[in-house]
Amino acid sequence: MRLKQRLSVLALALASLALAGYLHAQSSASGTDTSSPSATDQTFLRKAATDGATEVALGQLAMQHAQSSSTKDMAQRLVTDHRKANDELASIAMRKHVEVSARPDADALAKEKSWGSGASYDRAYAQTMVKDHREAVNLFTKATESKDADIRQFAQTTLPVLKQHLSMAEDLTKGGETHSSGAGSAGTP
């Protein structure tokens, strides 16, 4: 009887190993490899997560405090786009076993309090978005060269939207209208 139990346990163990090998082969073949990304890719994921959370927080504040409808419209667009990108980035980070923060940068939020009100607030928000999105475009441009297919694809998909955000913010700093209608369908930021 003991021999039968041992053989059953051995058969179960072999079946488990075979299943694990099959699942690993399937995940590698389907492009969902969960191998650990490089230090550069991990840094990208962490920075992009914090920056994305900061853009959402600043956008929410701008929707409450901005004076012009153009500024509020741009803020709403950025909140929507960055939330979508943040969700996608969090999913990638989880698959890659990289811990990222969903908290905004405290210093950026503290600076928002000094933006004043009315037109001065709108100007400060637009200028901050220009600065932030120039940095984001640089960060994501570098990430488009990642050896990790998931990170590279995320960066390639997100980069055009970040460039649209930059253009919108630059238009606002010049006193122009943002061209935000329907632009959210191009991808995620």
Side-chain angles (χ1 to χ4, degrees):
M1 191 63 161
R2 273 205 187 278
L3 182 60
K4 248 185 170 177
Q5 286 176 331
R6 286 184 183 171
L7 288 175
S8 294
V9 169
L10 182 61
L12 184 59
L14 288 174
S16 295
L17 285 173
L19 179 61
Y22 172 77
L23 291 175
H24 177 73
Q26 287 298 93
S27 74
S28 294
S30 67
T32 58
D33 185 15
T34 59
S35 60
S36 183
S38 70
T40 300
D41 287 340
Q42 291 180 41
T43 299
F44 164 75
L45 290 171
R46 289 184 180 108
K47 174 125 178 73
T50 299
D51 291 353
T54 302
E55 296 308 322
V56 169
L58 290 175
Q60 290 171 325
L61 290 167
M63 288 187 303
Q64 295 171 11
H65 302 293
Q67 177 180 345
S68 80
S69 61
S70 292
T71 302
K72 288 181 180 190
D73 289 347
M74 183 181 82
Q76 177 61 61
R77 166 77 188 283
L78 269 58
V79 166
T80 300
D81 289 350
H82 281 281
R83 275 187 179 150
K84 183 177 176 187
N86 294 351
D87 290 346
E88 188 176 342
L89 185 142
S91 175
I92 292 168
M94 188 169 27
R95 286 194 316 267
K96 304 291 179 182
H97 305 288
V98 176
E99 193 172 319
V100 296
S101 175
R103 290 190 187 135
D105 179 81
D107 291 339
L109 296 181
K111 286 180 188 173
E112 184 269 347
K113 294 183 185 326
S114 70
W115 291 352
S117 61
S120 127
Y121 184 96
D122 292 5
R123 224 177 356 271
Y125 175 70
Q127 290 169 346
T128 299
M129 291 304 99
V130 167
K131 178 186 151 298
D132 289 356
H133 283 85
R134 282 183 180 151
E135 291 173 6
V137 166
N138 288 333
L139 179 70
F140 277 72
T141 297
K142 289 176 187 168
T144 63
E145 298 173 9
S146 172
K147 288 183 170 64
D148 185 293
D150 293 331
I151 292 171
R152 184 176 56 249
Q153 179 61 43
F154 172 71
Q156 289 170 342
T157 302
T158 304
L159 187 57
V161 180
L162 291 170
K163 288 179 179 180
Q164 289 175 343
H165 291 177
L166 175 58
S167 177
M168 291 166 55
E170 288 172 337
D171 287 348
L172 271 183
T173 62
K174 297 173 189 166
E177 292 292 313
T178 62
H179 299 87
S180 63
S181 61
S185 62
T188 59

